[in-house]
Structure formats: structure tokens, C-alpha cells
Amino acid sequence: MTSIDLNADLGEGFGRWRLTDDEGLLSVVTSANVACGFHAGDPATMRRVCELAVARGVTVGAQVSYRDLAGFGRRAMDVPSAELTAEVAYQIGALDVFARAAGTRVAYVKPHGALYNRVVRDEAQAAAVVDGVLLAGGALPVLGLPGSRLLELAGRAGLPVVAEAFADRAYTDEGTLVPRGQDGAVVADPDAVVERSVALAVSGAVVARSGARVEVRARSLCVHGDTPGAVELARRVRRRLEASGVRVGAFA
């Protein structure tokens, strides 16, 4: 049976401000990418999301990013490798304190935003992220874009690698994500998102913005939590996947 993980970015609030419906999404997804305080999140939020995830049987992952609260981690930054390595390890360690207190552990690592896109091609930044995961201890799986430098270097370092796909993001013919600043970068039609989810899980392919068919072999599918109607859309995606014979379950 075909199987796929459903992940979502959670805990993306700060103080009294909340962006994602963490409770709602945790009733649907199987893996939670928890913001670790650099692009969003704070200690109380991290603790709350970890406790909610454990209560619902959802795997906890660390979503690491550039130190960019004002830009939500989506602004291009040039961070020295040694500094980035330390910051990645710091974020994983901070979240793991709350995960352990809730009765679990950080089970994987996923970069966020500008860092996620940077490590697709930038070998130095990808190596710094891998070094940060290693510094944090344990052979944590790394979640990222298929064919990225990040997954290549993580695999070389002996870390498990997990390829990820996005049903609500437009793809280029090369299999990379269309930058958010470009028109059509986000797929807004809920029906199209559901159909693309099934295609990615069953056939391992997606239609690029150009209309070309692009192969995207992924073990995890991201459903964004910061889009309107995110929880209901995530429920629709999961229902349709299961109706299509796809088993939905965590990879870690």
C-alpha cells in the first residue's frame, strides 16, 4: 500500500499573536514542524504545541530557520556557516526540552522559508544545517526538497533523508518551488490542491507552472497552516488520500 506523511508548520505565533490553528491541524496531520523561536514561536508556544502533539499522537519535528522574526524567516540572509550551525543546533535543543517534558523527543528537522529554499542549491549553507543537526546529537532525519543539496549532504553524513512535496505550491520544470514573490507561486484553488495531493502520493508527479509533468517522489506532503481555511483543506486532503487507498502515517 502507498503511504505518505502529512506535515504542517505549527506554533507559528509569538506572545499573544497566533497565526496557525494548531489544535485543528494537529487533529489531521501526522507530523508537526514546530517553529523554534527564530522565525516564529516562543517558549510557551513551543511547550503548548508539544503537549498537544503528544496528546494527539503526532510526531514532533524542529522547524529551524534564519534568525528573522520580523520577516517570518522568508527574507534572504547571509549567515556565516559556523554561526548557522550553532543556531540550528540551538533551535533543535530548545524544542527538545519541551518535547521531552511532554513525553516525546524531537524526531526530525526541517528548514523553514528562505533557509529551506537556500539549501536546495547552496552547498555551504546546506552543510552548515547538516552540521547543526549533527551537533544537536542523534541521527535525526532531515526533511527537504527532493534533489536538494541539503538531502544529498545529509545522506552523506549518515542522516536519514526524507523527501517532501507541496500540493499548494507551484513547481518549476526543474522540480523546485516557484518563489513566493512571483504570481501563481501558491495554488489557491482548494480542489486543485486536493487533486495534486493525490497525484503526488499515488504517481509521484505534479504539473509544473509551465504545464509540464514533473516527477516529485516524496515520503511527506506539506499542508500549509497559514492559508485561509487551512484546517478544512487539510481534512479534505487526508480524506481524499485515504479514499484513494493511501495510508497516511508519520515517517518518524
Side-chain angles (χ1 to χ4, degrees):
M1 174 183 280
T2 300
S3 64
I4 200 160
D5 169 64
L6 281 183
N7 77 74
D9 303 343
L10 300 176
E12 291 186 323
F14 194 82
R16 298 181 63 184
W17 176 73
R18 291 190 185 183
L19 175 64
T20 50
D21 181 352
D22 298 326
E23 293 85 348
L25 286 166
L26 284 168
S27 69
V28 182
V29 300
T30 48
S31 295
N33 317 316
V34 184
C36 299
F38 272 38
H39 76 280
D42 56 40
T45 301
M46 293 159 68
R47 180 181 184 184
R48 177 179 58 84
V49 174
C50 286
E51 291 172 347
L52 289 170
V54 169
R56 288 161 175 75
V58 176
T59 299
V60 172
Q63 186 164 46
V64 299
S65 74
Y66 288 128
R67 188 190 293 270
D68 181 27
L69 273 176
F72 197 61
R74 288 180 174 163
R75 297 185 293 190
M77 303 183 76
D78 290 314
V79 180
S81 292
E83 184 176 336
L84 181 58
T85 291
E87 291 187 342
V88 166
Y90 178 92
Q91 291 174 79
I92 296 169
L95 182 64
D96 197 49
V97 167
F98 300 114
R100 283 185 291 151
T104 188
R105 295 294 299 268
V106 168
Y108 65 93
V109 178
K110 173 185 173 178
H112 165 82
L115 181 58
Y116 187 98
N117 291 314
R118 181 75 171 267
V119 297
V120 170
R121 294 192 175 96
D122 190 316
E123 182 161 354
Q125 293 281 276
V129 172
V130 171
D131 288 344
V133 176
L134 294 171
L135 181 60
L140 291 175
V142 176
L143 184 60
L145 205 67
S148 64
R149 299 297 288 160
L150 174 66
L151 294 194
E152 179 185 348
L153 295 178
R156 285 187 195 173
L159 299 174
V161 296
V162 182
E164 178 182 35
F166 297 81
D168 62 352
R169 291 294 308 277
Y171 279 80
T172 68
D173 290 358
E174 292 73 38
T176 58
L177 301 179
V178 173
R180 279 185 175 267
Q182 296 184 18
D183 290 340
V186 178
V187 179
D189 180 4
D191 292 336
V193 173
V194 173
E195 294 301 324
R196 287 161 67 90
S197 299
V198 175
L200 284 162
V202 175
S203 65
V206 68
V207 176
R209 187 171 60 170
S210 68
R213 184 180 186 274
V214 178
E215 185 173 296
V216 182
R217 300 287 177 181
R219 176 64 186 86
S220 187
L221 182 66
C222 181
V223 288
H224 279 107
D226 59 349
T227 55
V231 174
E232 181 53 34
L233 179 57
R235 289 195 181 108
R236 286 187 59 192
V237 166
R238 179 159 186 167
R239 285 197 299 263
R240 184 62 182 278
L241 287 170
E242 291 174 338
S244 300
V246 178
R247 186 184 71 84
V248 179
F251 63 82

